[in-house]
Amino acid sequence: QVQLVESGGGLVQAGGSLRLSCAASGSIFRFRSVGWYRQAPGKQREMVATSTSSGSANYADSVKGRFTISRDNAKNTVYLQMNSLKPEDTAVYYCYMFGRPDYWGQGTQVTVSS
């Protein structure tokens, strides 16, 4: 059983930055792809960024050039650096671990004010 615990969300003005962290329990983190997803009110959950076990990253078009996903396998932690935040980035951000079974974190709120 794996637990994913996100932190780092909050309220920020447009143009600001936040860094989200997701710490995983257990010993399988280094072998799994992980990602960040988000869900805004009234919208479906969407992929923001993913990272393979070796660190290859993929981004949604809406965040390319502004967000960076990284991981520290020694710390069982994945990060999401978010720069140049926009009001449309407001959402609950979830950490996700791919695989069978897969795992979700509880989510952290990010609110960007205009």
Side-chain angles (χ1 to χ4, degrees):
Q1 186 73 10
V2 172
Q3 288 188 325
L4 302 175
V5 180
E6 300 103 332
S7 60
L11 173 64
V12 64
Q13 288 188 331
S17 298
L18 282 175
R19 188 175 84 152
L20 306 182
S21 299
C22 172
S25 64
S27 59
I28 65 172
F29 177 85
R30 69 184 67 190
F31 304 113
R32 296 280 192 97
S33 295
V34 290
W36 289 95
Y37 287 69
R38 67 186 181 187
Q39 187 166 21
K43 295 188 177 181
Q44 288 192 332
R45 193 171 296 188
E46 63 176 1
M47 186 275 288
V48 176
T50 62
S51 172
T52 66
S53 57
S54 60
S56 293
N58 185 46
Y59 297 94
D61 288 343
S62 59
V63 306
K64 280 181 182 176
R66 300 188 299 122
F67 290 11
T68 302
I69 188 171
S70 62
R71 62 191 295 163
D72 185 337
N73 287 339
K75 294 183 178 180
N76 281 5
T77 301
V78 59
Y79 305 97
L80 185 68
Q81 178 67 44
M82 304 186 293
N83 299 328
S84 302
L85 282 160
K86 305 175 181 180
E88 50 264 44
D89 294 318
T90 294
V92 177
Y93 284 70
Y94 297 90
C95 181
Y96 177 68
M97 181 181 285
F98 292 82
R100 294 186 67 183
D102 59 352
Y103 299 96
W104 287 95
Q106 82 287 351
T108 185
Q109 177 70 47
V110 172
T111 303
V112 185
S113 63
S114 56

